[in-house]
Amino acid sequence: MSTETLEFQAETKRVLDLVVNSIYTNKEIFLRELISNASDALDKLHFESLTNQEILDGNENFEIFVIPDEESKTITISDTGIGMTRDEVIANIGTIAKSGTRAFLDKINDTKDSLKEELIGQFGVGFYSAFIVSEKVELTTKKAGETSAVKWTSEGAGEYTIEEFEKESRGTTIILHLKPEFCGDGDFKFTNQHVIEGLIKKYSDYIRYPIKMNFESKDENDKTVIEIRTVNSMKPLWTRNKADIKPEEYDEFFRHQFHEWEKPMEIFHSKIEGTVEYTALLCIPKRAASNLFFADYEPGLQLYSRHVFVMDKCKDFLPDHFRFIKGLVDSPDLPLNVSREILQQSHDVKKIGRSLEKNILKQLSKMLKNDREHYEEFWAQFGKSLKIGVYNNSYDEQVKKDLQDLLLFTTSKDLKLSTLAEYVERMPETQKKIYCATGKDAASIAKLPQLELLRERNIEVIYLIDPVDEFAINALVSYDNKEIQSVNREDFDLDEDDAKKKTELEELSRSYEELLMDVKAAIGEAVNEVRLTSRLKSGAVCLVTGANGPSLNMEQTFSPMNNPFFKAHKILELNPNHTLFRKLSSLHALDKNADAFKDFCQLLYAQALLIEGILPENPADIASKIATLMMK
Ligand code: ADP
């Protein structure tokens, strides 16, 4: 095969330009990116060799070499990893085949310069960082188990060449021909042995394969000898003493290990020696993954046994509401060769899982107590996950108990976030229930006619704004022995103990029985019941739902799926003290079959819907009825 010149895919070229031109400060990151790729290639080979020993072809060396050379102004990074075939080189290096590239390009354009560098690792453009410091990059590679090798060369300017090559052993070797400013002596001179050694120690110390360098020294006869030394400690970070680990080391580790690009929000590093023994290093990422609640998100922790990698994405440790937690568990109690099925049954896994869960709960409540601002940042990213947890565990009192004090809700008091405990703490003695109201935002809830009386009596109300809020609150049922009462439900009555008021309303309802029946008939199937109410003050109508069953909000959430299970039992309530009610009543008396009466009924219902932020089914009809009325 002769030398072929190929062009970078257009998007690749743009990414390349961006990477090279956006890195101002940390020019040195190229080294950790290339070492990280080498380490991944060794992982892949290691994994493959577990089932196919022959792939190693007798060469059991798993190592990385880094060789800076002053004379040729190069730095060479080579590994004995899996290597690549010609097609793989073209696919992996010449193209950015990942769907994330577009997102990367969009994102990097509106990212602050200081954060651009962090973006680079996340989107798998790590290899291109070689061009930050190089005027030319040569990559030779031989795939494990193959006989032929290839050489790829590029100056990072639009094209690359690819040709056949003689390479003795498997793996990849990358030669960076450094730009002149990166050669010589000084902090950013990458031909300098000490600079490189320092960078490896700083960024890649925990890499679990030896990173070797050549060191020159003189023997007793003053002859130059070359000694090969491993520069990294290879000690997995989590096995080290917590007190000796610098925050940067944790951050770097998470970036590499979990392909995160921002520093984690919180890190929990724990060593437990009890009935089960384990070390766990968990983190809450800075941001919720955009697919956190979608099927393609794979939760789970990495599993190690005596520091040896066993499996990724092990879902059996943590409950689903902690799906956002990333991290690893290393336990000598778990066997190396274990299938996912066995793991699911394992008592040790269950014990470790419970212990991890308790620890996370403890850390979260500590954060809530000691650093509210930080907790609210956490809540903004992952609160939904905890709320879904409460809902999904409606029948599990323990889970609800664990989570209920971690929940935050906006309340009518200054529209700030509040825990249920804080709400209860503020309740006046006379208030027996916890009140909540649902709506699409705080402003529309505040305008609900049902809230008028509560406001008048200075009763604080929890605002359920996020669609899952209501699901969580419904699942809780009560808190601290106080019933949680929705003002959007039929059983909401501030004066439920006032027997006199009740009897009055009952009597009034009886006397208007026929009217109420005819209103229902005029509106049709859209509502299930029409009633009089005493919960309204200046409002004429409101829409509530049955005491149990789906709410209006739930129906709205699920209506695109037309899920009959989520049909709300709708009750239109009329305020008998309102002028509109008197008008309704006189229209009814005049001619209950006339359009004037029927239209009036429909307009009342449309109003009730609009107050709830719901568009009537036939908006054009309603608009024309309003117009007719206005012209009268
Ligand atoms: P990422 O490592 O995030 O996937 P890179 O641009 O660094 O992105 O690398 C692209 C791909 O090239 C890798 O996913 C891998 O398949 C391949 N690759 C890079 N370096 C090596 C290497 N040293 N050995 C084998 N394959 C490699």
Side-chain angles (χ1 to χ4, degrees):
M1 181 185 82
S2 55
T3 306
E4 250 187 278
T5 302
L6 298 171
E7 289 208 2
F8 280 113
Q9 182 198 32
E11 305 241 292
T12 311
K13 169 108 186 57
R14 267 191 73 200
V15 170
L16 221 158
D17 287 345
L18 274 163
V19 170
V20 174
N21 298 320
S22 319
I23 307 290
Y24 304 107
T25 47
N26 289 339
K27 307 255 184 206
E28 68 215 34
I29 62 156
F30 77 93
L31 188 61
R32 71 162 189 222
E33 296 294 332
L34 297 180
I35 289 179
S36 172
N37 280 351
S39 162
D40 289 346
L42 288 161
D43 271 344
K44 282 180 199 157
L45 181 69
H46 175 73
F47 193 73
E48 189 75 42
S49 70
L50 292 177
T51 49
N52 175 14
Q53 183 71 22
E54 273 152 35
I55 198 166
L56 298 180
D57 200 18
N59 176 358
E60 307 236 347
N61 281 346
F62 285 78
E63 59 192 17
I64 300 165
F65 256 96
V66 180
I67 306 168
D69 183 38
E70 184 67 60
E71 216 165 290
S72 61
K73 301 193 172 18
T74 59
I75 171 164
T76 302
I77 297 131
S78 64
D79 64 69
T80 56
I82 188 105
M84 283 177 274
T85 62
R86 181 177 183 276
D87 288 348
E88 282 170 341
V89 172
I90 295 175
N92 296 339
I93 307 285
T95 326
I96 298 185
K98 291 169 199 153
S99 56
T101 312
R102 200 46 283 146
F104 168 78
L105 286 171
D106 292 344
K107 205 159 177 177
I108 200 155
N109 280 331
D110 40 61
T111 299
K112 278 197 296 211
D113 282 350
S114 57
L115 283 177
K116 279 187 175 155
E117 309 184 2
E118 297 196 38
L119 259 180
I120 285 165
Q122 185 204 14
F123 285 88
V125 289
F127 175 78
Y128 300 108
S129 61
F131 289 100
I132 301 169
V133 294
S134 315
E135 46 191 29
K136 183 167 122 185
V137 176
E138 282 176 288
L139 173 147
T140 56
T141 183
K142 185 176 179 182
K143 177 102 178 182
E146 306 268 329
T147 46
S148 60
V150 285
K151 177 173 171 182
W152 176 99
T153 314
S154 176
E155 291 172 9
E159 25 172 74
Y160 59 88
T161 61
I162 193 154
E163 64 198 288
E164 215 167 284
F165 188 73
E166 282 294 315
K167 189 174 184 300
E168 209 169 293
S169 52
R170 65 153 190 263
T172 304
T173 299
I174 296 166
I175 304 176
L176 309 180
H177 295 266
L178 295 168
K179 294 177 185 166
E181 64 264 38
F182 298 113
C183 303
D185 276 327
D187 282 353
F188 284 103
K189 306 297 180 186
F190 303 120
T191 46
N192 183 308
Q193 189 88 356
H194 298 295
V195 171
I196 296 299
E197 187 185 0
L199 290 177
I200 295 173
K201 286 210 163 94
K202 179 173 170 193
Y203 289 121
S204 312
D205 189 62
Y206 57 83
I207 294 281
R208 46 180 181 273
Y209 303 99
I211 305 171
K212 296 180 172 173
M213 289 182 78
N214 293 333
F215 290 89
E216 279 184 15
S217 60
K218 303 274 185 204
D219 67 2
E220 58 269 28
N221 305 322
D222 211 28
K223 254 182 74 183
T224 304
V225 286
I226 294 196
E227 184 199 354
I228 299 173
R229 267 206 326 256
T230 299
V231 177
N232 57 328
S233 73
M234 286 195 288
K235 203 168 156 60
L237 185 86
W238 65 90
T239 61
R240 286 168 50 195
N241 205 335
K242 242 160 103 168
D244 300 335
I245 306 174
K246 297 192 199 85
E248 312 85 88
E249 287 182 283
Y250 277 124
D251 295 344
E252 194 51 45
F253 178 77
F254 273 105
R255 263 184 44 94
H256 168 81
Q257 192 84 359
F258 303 104
H259 304 283
E260 284 290 312
W261 61 287
E262 286 180 295
K263 286 180 198 166
M265 187 184 284
E266 202 66 41
I267 288 171
F268 316 131
H269 186 180
S270 48
K271 271 194 184 60
I272 305 292
E273 279 161 18
T275 45
V276 279
E277 192 182 325
Y278 73 87
T279 301
L281 188 50
L282 307 183
C283 84
I284 301 176
K286 177 110 179 172
R287 256 171 250 278
S290 54
N291 61 346
L292 184 61
F293 299 108
F294 293 91
D296 62 339
Y297 179 84
E298 263 199 280
L301 304 179
Q302 288 180 350
L303 177 61
Y304 288 78
S305 171
R306 298 182 192 278
H307 320 334
V308 178
F309 177 75
V310 180
M311 75 174 65
D312 205 1
K313 308 281 182 199
C314 179
K315 295 185 193 61
D316 306 304
F317 289 109
L318 294 178
D320 200 50
H321 50 266
F322 289 146
R323 57 182 14 240
F324 55 85
I325 301 262
K326 296 198 167 183
L328 58 87
V329 179
D330 187 354
S331 169
D333 295 332
L334 297 167
L336 251 181
N337 266 327
V338 59
S339 70
R340 288 192 188 270
E341 290 69 36
I342 292 176
L343 219 52
Q344 260 171 11
Q345 316 292 330
S346 158
H347 284 296
D348 285 335
V349 168
K350 288 202 176 81
K351 270 193 250 166
I352 295 174
R354 259 197 300 277
S355 159
L356 289 174
E357 189 185 344
K358 272 198 199 133
N359 189 31
I360 297 169
L361 288 167
K362 199 172 91 197
Q363 301 290 347
L364 288 176
S365 59
K366 223 160 84 186
M367 200 204 295
L368 172 63
K369 197 162 145 241
N370 302 337
D371 189 350
R372 179 59 168 254
E373 206 177 309
H374 191 42
Y375 187 82
E376 290 194 8
E377 279 166 26
F378 158 79
W379 184 254
Q381 295 298 322
F382 304 106
K384 206 189 245 338
S385 197
L386 302 195
K387 289 185 278 194
I388 294 176
V390 170
Y391 172 66
N392 282 342
N393 292 284
S394 306
Y395 300 107
D396 190 329
E397 292 306 319
Q398 186 58 46
V399 176
K400 290 200 283 182
K401 208 162 150 253
D402 286 345
L403 295 178
Q404 63 182 6
D405 284 312
L406 292 173
L407 305 178
L408 295 181
F409 297 101
T410 305
T411 84
S412 56
K413 186 174 162 25
D414 308 328
L415 299 182
K416 289 215 178 88
L417 286 171
S418 174
T419 62
L420 290 169
E422 289 160 351
Y423 174 96
V424 167
E425 176 79 34
R426 289 190 294 263
M427 271 167 62
E429 229 169 85
T430 47
Q431 187 185 337
K432 297 285 175 268
K433 292 183 178 180
I434 296 170
Y435 291 101
C436 60
T438 311
K440 71 173 185 345
D441 51 38
S444 45
I445 295 180
K447 291 199 185 100
L448 284 177
Q450 298 96 304
L451 247 58
E452 205 175 354
L453 279 176
L454 285 159
R455 207 172 297 122
E456 210 173 74
R457 296 185 198 182
N458 252 331
I459 295 176
E460 185 177 348
V461 179
I462 291 175
Y463 285 3
L464 307 177
I465 299 165
D466 181 359
V468 297
D469 282 349
E470 197 176 28
F471 287 85
I473 278 282
N474 268 0
L476 281 182
V477 185
S478 67
Y479 175 82
D480 191 21
N481 294 321
K482 288 166 187 69
E483 194 188 324
I484 301 177
Q485 171 71 59
S486 163
V487 310
N488 313 76
R489 298 268 184 190
E490 62 169 337
D491 57 352
F492 161 60
D493 185 359
L494 272 182
D495 301 312
E496 57 196 345
D497 300 330
D498 188 339
K500 186 167 160 266
K501 213 170 152 188
K502 249 189 183 145
T503 331
E504 272 172 23
L505 187 69
E506 273 164 22
E507 277 170 12
L508 202 61
S509 300
R510 257 195 301 278
S511 67
Y512 282 111
E513 203 173 333
E514 200 195 327
L515 168 69
L516 294 174
M517 260 166 52
D518 291 334
V519 176
K520 159 81 180 88
I523 298 169
E525 293 304 306
V527 292
N528 302 77
E529 291 177 52
V530 178
R531 289 187 195 155
L532 297 185
T533 186
S534 60
R535 72 175 99 205
L536 295 177
K537 196 160 177 262
S538 61
V541 284
C542 70
L543 198 58
V544 296
T545 50
N548 300 304
S551 68
L552 276 179
N553 164 55
M554 292 175 185
E555 183 184 289
Q556 290 299 303
T557 309
F558 287 93
S559 67
M561 290 157 238
N562 224 340
N563 188 336
F565 183 67
F566 281 103
K567 267 256 151 295
H569 181 87
K570 294 194 201 70
I571 303 161
L572 177 69
E573 296 197 329
L574 306 174
N575 179 358
N577 301 321
H578 200 279
T579 320
L580 280 188
F581 184 76
R582 283 192 286 277
K583 182 96 190 277
L584 175 77
S585 169
S586 59
L587 282 170
H588 185 248
L590 209 60
D591 181 358
K592 65 179 188 179
N593 295 316
D595 281 349
F597 171 70
K598 289 183 186 160
D599 288 354
F600 203 86
C601 295
Q602 296 212 358
L603 283 176
L604 282 176
Y605 175 56
Q607 276 181 46
L609 282 176
L610 289 173
I611 292 168
E612 292 292 333
I614 304 172
L615 202 60
E617 236 174 65
N618 44 358
D621 259 11
I622 296 296
S624 98
K625 285 187 174 63
I626 294 173
T628 314
L629 204 66
M630 289 169 85
M631 282 185 289
K632 273 190 188 157

